[in-house]
Amino acid sequence: MNQKITIVIPVYNSAKFLHKTLKAVDDQRKASNWDLELVLVEDGSPDNSFEVIEKLAQQYSYIKAVKLSRNFGHQIAVKTGLSYATGDYIAIIDDDLQDPPSLLPRFFAELEKGFEVAYGIRKNRKEGEVKKTAYKVFYRILNSISDTKIPIDSGDFCVMTKNVKEKMLTLNEQNPYLRGIRAWVGFKQIGLEYERSGRIEGESGYSLKKLIKIAKDGIFSFSSIPLQIITLLGNLGLVISILFSVFTIFRYFNNEIEVAGYTTMIILLLFFSSLILVSLGIIGEYIYRIYNEVRNRPYTIIEKTVNI
C-alpha cells in the first residue's frame, strides 16, 4: 500500500500508558511499512499528558501534536485531529488500545477495494453490564428515530479516505456527533465486526455527564422526533381535556357535580403543567443549539502544537 496513512488519537489523562499505545502503533507501522503521520490531540488533560507527548515526539518523528486550551470533549478533539490530518487514508482510534492498531490493516484493505469508509462494529464490549445495556438501548433508539441511518453499535473507530474527511469537515457544527456526520455524508461504507478490548490502564474519560451530552448531540442533531413529541403531547392533552369536559357535562346534567372539586383541579393542573414544561424543555434544547451555532465561536482553541 503506497498511500500515506494518518492516525488520529484524542488524548485525555493518558500520561501513564500513552507510551504503550504509541509503541503498538509503531510496531504496526513497521509490520505494514506505513508512511505514517500520527496526530495526537491532547484534550485539556488534568495530568501531564502533553509533556509525555512532547517527549515521545522526540522518539517518533512522525508525531504531530496539538494541545487544546481546555477540555472541549472527545468529539471536538477528534474533529480537531481530522483538521490536521494530511494522509490519503485516515484512521481514528482511542488512546487506551481498546481499538488496537493491529486491526487497521484489515480496515485499510476495504479502502483498497473501493470503499470510502470502513467503520468498526463492536461485537463484544469489556465493560459493565449496565453500561453495555445502556449503549445497546441508546444506539437502537437513535437508529429508529434518526433521519440519517447511523449504524448500530458503531463508534468513532474507523478508517476513511481523505475525500470523506474533507467532506465531514465542511459541517462546521459546534456540537458534532462524528459517527452521525460520517453516516450523513454518505459514500460507499462498510461495517466490520471486531471484539473490543478492555482498557490497558486507568478509567474511561467518559463520565456519565459526558455520555449524556454525546447522546443528546446524537438525538438533537439527527432527529426531529423530539419536536414531534411536543405535537403528540399536545394532542394527548387535547383528547384528555375533551373527554374530561364531556364527563363533566354529563355529571352536570345528572346533578352529580360536587362543589369542592379540589382533587380534580390539582390533577389536571399538574398534568397540563407537566406537558408544558416538557415541551418547553425540548424547544429550549433546540433553541440553545441554534444560539450556539449563531454565535459562530470557534469550536476549539489551540494552546500549543508540536511539529505543526
Side-chain angles (χ1 to χ4, degrees):
M1 184 169 64
N2 298 321
Q3 307 291 348
K4 181 179 179 180
I5 302 296
T6 298
I7 300 178
V8 175
I9 305 181
V11 176
Y12 183 78
N13 217 20
S14 311
K16 293 181 179 179
F17 57 84
L18 189 59
H19 64 284
K20 297 180 183 179
T21 303
L22 265 61
K23 184 179 185 308
V25 170
D26 195 59
D27 288 345
Q28 190 58 54
R29 175 189 71 85
K30 293 173 181 175
S32 300
N33 194 28
W34 285 338
D35 175 14
L36 180 63
E37 170 187 72
L38 182 61
V39 179
L40 303 175
V41 183
E42 197 274 328
D43 187 24
S45 299
D47 64 1
N48 63 329
S49 288
F50 196 74
E51 294 173 12
V52 171
I53 290 172
E54 289 178 313
K55 292 178 182 177
L56 289 169
Q58 297 172 9
Q59 181 180 351
Y60 303 108
S61 60
Y62 49 78
I63 284 180
K64 288 183 178 180
V66 178
K67 177 176 173 57
L68 305 186
S69 62
R70 64 171 175 83
N71 179 233
F72 283 87
H74 180 272
Q75 299 290 283
I76 291 294
V78 174
K79 183 178 179 180
T80 302
L82 290 175
S83 69
Y84 284 96
T86 62
D88 302 299
Y89 291 168
I90 298 101
I92 300 170
I93 65 174
D94 283 340
D95 61 355
D96 53 15
L97 288 181
Q98 285 190 289
D99 308 317
S102 58
L103 292 173
L104 291 177
R106 176 185 165 211
F107 282 70
F108 285 134
E110 298 300 328
L111 301 190
E112 293 287 297
K113 294 176 184 176
F115 288 95
E116 296 270 3
V117 176
Y119 55 86
I121 300 174
R122 297 158 179 165
K123 188 169 59 174
N124 191 18
R125 306 178 70 114
K126 303 295 189 296
E127 291 160 333
E129 289 301 322
V130 174
K131 198 171 185 179
K132 284 197 290 186
T133 301
Y135 277 121
K136 187 175 182 179
V137 170
F138 166 70
Y139 284 132
R140 281 150 183 79
I141 290 176
L142 178 60
N143 184 263
S144 65
I145 68 174
S146 176
D147 302 325
T148 300
K149 290 306 174 184
I150 302 171
I152 293 174
D153 297 328
S154 67
D156 294 317
F157 174 49
C158 69
V159 301
M160 67 184 77
T161 61
K162 186 176 183 179
N163 178 46
V164 172
K165 183 262 305 188
E166 290 174 347
K167 296 300 186 291
M168 287 178 64
L169 290 177
T170 61
L171 278 70
N172 193 29
E173 299 182 8
Q174 297 291 319
N175 298 284
Y177 185 66
L178 294 177
R179 66 203 70 170
I181 292 174
R182 187 180 68 209
W184 186 87
V185 296
F187 299 103
K188 193 177 180 183
Q189 304 196 14
I190 186 171
L192 301 177
E193 285 192 344
Y194 74 106
E195 189 163 328
R196 200 165 199 236
S197 306
R199 291 178 61 86
I200 52 173
E201 196 174 326
E203 296 181 357
S204 173
Y206 271 131
S207 63
L208 178 61
K209 181 179 179 181
K210 290 180 179 179
L211 288 172
I212 291 174
K213 181 186 182 303
I214 288 182
K216 286 168 62 180
D217 288 342
I219 291 171
F220 287 103
S221 296
F222 290 93
S223 177
S224 60
I225 289 294
L227 287 173
Q228 295 174 32
I229 288 175
I230 296 177
T231 303
L232 293 174
L233 290 174
N235 290 334
L236 176 63
L238 177 62
V239 170
I240 291 175
S241 63
I242 290 173
L243 292 176
F244 188 77
S245 297
V246 172
F247 176 67
T248 302
I249 292 171
F250 176 80
R251 293 186 66 202
Y252 172 79
F253 284 109
N254 286 274
N255 299 316
E256 296 177 3
I257 295 293
E258 300 174 1
V259 175
Y262 178 79
T263 302
T264 302
M265 290 300 297
I266 289 298
I267 291 173
L268 286 175
L269 182 62
L270 290 174
F271 177 76
F272 286 104
S273 296
S274 298
L275 290 185
I276 292 171
L277 289 174
V278 169
S279 300
L280 287 175
I282 293 173
I283 294 172
E285 187 69 44
Y286 280 99
I287 291 175
Y288 167 74
R289 290 166 187 275
I290 294 170
Y291 174 60
N292 216 15
E293 298 293 338
V294 169
R295 285 186 298 188
N296 200 29
R297 292 178 179 176
Y299 61 84
T300 192
I301 301 294
I302 308 298
E303 180 180 331
K304 193 187 297 185
T305 63
V306 174
N307 295 333
I308 292 177

